[in-house]
């Protein structure tokens, strides 16, 4: 199936969109973003560790490069989540989402400099199309209603760079080892990083909370299932393509916001969603051919 890699990444992005809605529900209940992210990663780590144990003999690889790239991917995921939430706090959701989804630009530039991708007008047009769609979807074009602080902008761009870091980390690691080992190492590094920033009392309070079911669902969908699909999918496509296809995440989150949280979408937001979906579909067909 020539579209297999793209399809797997699309499903991973849909899972991330679902996890965004779950995280929004938990934040509305008073849980801090860092603790939510930590449990998302910790439950994912448990999921991947069990997966690795059951297939240990087939998946164990003694390669320093594998461990290094997997750890880089885990740090990238942790940085992506942390800086994204900091950008929301310092600026706004619209600004944070728009900045974090400039990641395909960084990925493509790095891929071009490392001669992993060939620079073409078509690819740059796809990047421009996706970014334009995200600006329309998030409402970031309305500069009069958005106040952007230096901290908010810097955190948003740091989140995008971290996003690019975890894409390259997973891509490089997937060329050496199996998904089970890669994800276990990556999310172990992820948890170590976020433990430094989390509040110990709040972290412990989750275990006896009535919201534990939401945390479990977030970990399974937002880390366990999604990253399993993502790491398998990225082996079958390029880093730049993976970063652009994953941009379907804000579309999923917006649609679920309408269906689950009762949000409303304007005509401009629907146009933005249509541009993102059209661009990703066009890119997928072009890359597969």
């Amino acid at each position: 199936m020539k579209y297999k890699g793209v399809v797997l990444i699309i499903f991973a992005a849909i899972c991330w969109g679902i996890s965004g809605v779950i995280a929004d529900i938990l934040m509305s209940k008073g849980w801090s973003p860092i603790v939510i992210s930590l449990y998302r990663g910790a439950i994912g780590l448990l999921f991947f560790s069990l997966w690795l144990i059951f297939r240990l003999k087939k998946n164990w690889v003694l390669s320093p490069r594998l461990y290094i790239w997997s750890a880089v991917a885990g740090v990238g995921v942790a940085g992506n989540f942390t800086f994204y939430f900091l950008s929301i706090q310092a600026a706004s959701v619209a600004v944070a989402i728009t900045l974090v989804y400039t990641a395909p630009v960084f990925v493509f530039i790095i891929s071009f400099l490392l001669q992993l991708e060939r620079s073409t007008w078509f690819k740059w047009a796809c990047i421009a199309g996706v970014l334009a769609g995200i600006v329309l979807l998030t409402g970031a074009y309305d500069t009069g209603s958005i106040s952007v602080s230096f901290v908010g902008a810097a955190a948003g761009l740091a989140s995008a760079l971290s996003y690019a870091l975890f894409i390259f980390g997973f891509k490089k690691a997937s060329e050496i080892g199996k998904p089970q080992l890669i994800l276990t190492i990556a999310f172990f590094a992820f948890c170590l990083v976020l433990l430094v920033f989390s509040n110990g009392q709040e972290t412990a309070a989750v275990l006896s909370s009535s919201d534990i079911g939401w945390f479990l669902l977030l970990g399974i969908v937002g880390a366990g299932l999604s990253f399993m699909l993502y790491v398998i999918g990225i082996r079958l496509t390029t880093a730049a393509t993976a970063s652009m296809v994953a941009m379907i995440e804000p579309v999923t989150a917006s649609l679920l916001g309408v269906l689950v949280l009762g949000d409303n979408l304007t005509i401009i937001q629907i146009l933005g969603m249509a541009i993102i979906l059209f661009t990703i579909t066009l890119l997928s067909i072009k890359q597969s051919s």
Side-chain angles (χ1 to χ4, degrees):
M1 182 181 177
K2 62 183 180 180
Y3 298 104
K4 185 178 179 181
V6 170
V7 169
L8 289 173
I9 291 171
I10 286 174
F11 277 114
I14 289 171
C15 288
W16 290 335
I18 293 170
S19 69
V21 174
I22 297 171
D24 188 54
I25 292 171
L26 287 170
M27 282 189 283
S28 69
K29 291 174 175 283
W31 297 104
S32 74
I34 299 299
V35 169
I36 293 169
S37 296
L38 175 60
Y39 270 91
R40 178 181 177 179
I43 293 166
L45 175 60
L46 178 62
F47 185 94
F48 304 133
S49 299
L50 291 173
W51 190 24
L52 175 64
I53 290 169
F54 283 119
R55 305 193 65 180
L56 188 60
K57 291 183 179 179
K58 294 182 179 180
N59 296 299
W60 194 259
V61 177
L62 293 174
S63 170
R65 288 179 61 242
L66 172 66
Y67 289 85
I68 291 169
W69 281 115
S70 298
V72 165
V75 172
V77 176
N80 175 246
F81 289 173
T82 303
F83 286 121
Y84 175 62
F85 288 134
L86 286 173
S87 182
I88 290 175
Q89 290 176 343
S92 68
V93 173
V95 170
I97 292 175
T98 302
L99 289 174
V100 74
Y101 288 120
T102 59
V105 178
F106 294 114
V107 173
F108 187 61
I109 291 172
I110 294 169
S111 296
F112 174 64
L113 292 175
L114 296 177
Q115 297 185 332
L116 301 174
E117 289 272 349
R118 195 162 50 90
S119 180
T120 66
W121 285 110
F122 173 76
K123 291 174 183 176
W124 283 112
C126 285
I127 290 173
V130 169
L131 292 178
I134 289 168
V135 168
L136 293 176
L137 178 60
T138 60
Y141 59 87
D142 188 4
T143 56
S145 63
I146 293 177
S147 176
V148 184
S149 67
F150 173 78
V151 173
L157 289 173
S159 180
L161 285 168
S162 297
Y163 195 112
L165 185 65
F166 93 65
I167 286 173
F168 279 108
F170 279 128
K171 180 64 178 175
K172 288 292 185 181
S174 68
E175 295 171 358
I176 306 168
K178 299 290 186 179
Q180 296 91 331
L181 182 58
I182 294 168
L183 289 167
T184 301
I185 297 168
F187 275 81
F188 180 74
F190 170 97
C191 291
L192 286 180
V193 171
L194 284 191
L195 274 172
V196 175
F197 297 98
S198 63
N199 180 289
Q201 289 184 335
E202 186 181 2
T203 301
V206 172
L207 297 174
S208 57
S209 166
S210 60
D211 295 323
I212 188 66
W214 285 113
F215 281 96
L216 288 171
L217 184 61
L218 176 65
I220 293 169
V221 175
L225 179 60
S226 60
F227 278 91
M228 180 181 70
L229 293 171
Y230 185 84
V231 171
I232 295 172
I234 202 172
R235 298 176 69 158
L236 305 173
T237 187
T238 66
T241 300
S243 66
M244 278 188 275
V245 171
M247 296 302 100
I248 200 171
E249 179 187 349
V251 176
T252 304
S254 298
L255 288 174
L256 286 172
V258 172
L259 297 173
V260 178
L261 304 177
D263 296 339
N264 294 314
L265 290 176
T266 65
I267 297 297
I268 293 177
Q269 287 176 306
I270 293 171
L271 176 62
M273 291 171 60
I275 291 172
I276 295 169
L277 292 174
F278 174 77
T279 306
I280 289 172
T281 302
L282 189 65
L283 175 72
S284 302
I285 293 171
K286 178 72 173 177
Q287 292 291 93
S288 297
S289 61

